Amino acid sequence: MAADLTLPVSRTTRSDRTNAVQPSPLNWNRMDDEDVVAGLIQIGREFHARGWSLGTSSNYSVVLQREPLELLVTASGLHKDQLQVGDFARIRADGKPINDVQPKSSAETMLHVVLAHRPDVGAVLHTHSVWCTLLSDVEFAQRAIRIAGYEMLKGLAGITTHDTEVNLEIFENTQDIAALAQQVDQRLADAERPLQHAFLLRRHGLYTWGRDLAEARRHVEIIEFLLECEGRRRSLMLV
């Protein structure tokens, strides 16, 4: 993307955030750099309203350019329903900011970076819903959650029939993000069984991606729906 996107340091107050003007409707399939920022802000509000990004949890990113690789990542420690234009950092391929006069990016920035190095990944969205947090713990012994037979699976890129299954891999949660990023990178590079669409962190949350922000947003909606179905199905089986 060629447009300049110089993001000011956010200095908004809580009152400013509460009274902020709502963004205009977006064309999710055709987005320039300004639309990307507006899209991330809108996603923060949507995901907070749906219980997927509560407190100051979650982080989001979009690839701004490939050569050299540069990402736009949400700043650390912010409520996602109150994001403003200055609440993002531009990050290089090594995970470091392009300059020092911008907010600090998420502590999990390197997970976004290793995903963004894949040519088919243009956006990464990380959420903390109740269902992904619980199921990632319940199914950790299997290291994956198997989801099969649902019509909504067709909402994931490359899937054209309900008669299929996906296995959402679960990684152990850790504060050693560099080590975790290396594990994820190795799984992405697996020639026989690479990670696709998403993965889970135990008792933590969901990482989902897509070729652009629209696809990543759709994947979050689909996977969160499917995880809730699986969670409720398990609950009914216990009654």
Side-chain angles (χ1 to χ4, degrees):
M1 297 182 183
D4 180 49
L5 189 64
T6 303
L7 301 176
V9 176
S10 177
R11 303 186 186 281
T12 53
T13 65
R14 183 177 297 275
S15 176
D16 292 333
R17 294 175 186 276
T18 301
N19 297 318
V21 176
Q22 297 295 317
S24 301
L26 292 168
N27 181 348
W28 290 93
N29 296 315
R30 300 184 64 181
M31 306 184 82
D32 59 22
D33 284 354
E34 291 184 359
D35 288 335
V36 163
V37 174
L40 290 170
I41 290 172
Q42 183 170 323
I43 282 172
R45 293 171 180 170
E46 290 178 359
F47 287 7
H48 178 272
R50 302 182 79 164
W52 300 342
S53 293
L54 298 179
T56 59
S57 70
S58 300
N59 39 75
Y60 319 137
S61 70
V62 172
V63 174
L64 293 177
Q65 63 182 39
R66 287 286 173 193
E67 296 294 338
L69 183 66
E70 187 176 307
L71 289 75
L72 189 69
V73 184
T74 46
S76 178
L78 297 176
H79 284 270
K80 299 308 179 290
D81 65 328
Q82 299 174 7
L83 291 174
Q84 300 296 306
V85 171
D87 294 337
F88 301 89
R90 295 181 72 146
I91 301 298
R92 302 189 307 238
D94 59 1
K96 297 180 180 179
I98 63 169
N99 60 54
D100 296 327
V101 292
Q102 57 182 352
K104 179 182 177 182
S105 68
S106 165
E108 298 171 26
T109 292
M110 282 308 300
L111 293 175
H112 291 258
V113 170
V114 297
L115 286 163
H117 273 289
R118 302 293 156 180
D120 58 342
V121 176
V124 180
L125 301 174
H126 173 41
T127 51
H128 287 239
S129 75
V130 170
W131 289 113
C132 72
T133 302
L134 290 175
L135 289 172
S136 64
D137 188 34
V138 170
E139 297 296 325
F140 184 69
Q142 284 71 45
R143 296 300 194 274
I145 298 174
R146 178 181 178 273
I147 303 176
Y150 292 98
E151 181 71 12
M152 287 287 273
L153 283 165
K154 290 160 56 178
L156 300 177
I159 295 179
T160 58
T161 174
H162 73 283
D163 188 18
T164 189
E165 70 176 57
V166 298
N167 289 281
L168 295 180
E169 193 159 329
I170 308 169
F171 294 86
E172 180 64 273
N173 191 30
T174 177
Q175 301 307 303
D176 188 347
I177 300 302
L180 178 59
Q182 186 175 21
Q183 293 178 47
V184 171
D185 195 32
Q186 290 172 350
R187 288 292 299 111
L188 288 165
D190 189 320
E192 295 184 2
R193 194 173 54 86
L195 286 178
Q196 292 184 307
H197 304 117
F199 64 84
L200 292 158
L201 298 179
R202 185 185 187 191
R203 298 181 181 176
H204 180 153
L206 171 73
Y207 267 89
T208 317
W209 56 89
R211 66 176 181 270
D212 53 29
L213 190 55
E215 184 172 272
R217 176 177 178 245
R218 186 182 81 241
H219 284 172
V220 172
E221 292 177 343
I222 295 297
I223 293 171
E224 289 286 3
F225 173 88
L226 292 169
L227 288 172
E228 184 169 350
C229 285
E230 282 297 298
R232 291 184 181 276
R233 184 177 68 84
R234 286 164 168 77
S235 298
L236 289 170
M237 291 171 65
L238 295 175
V239 175

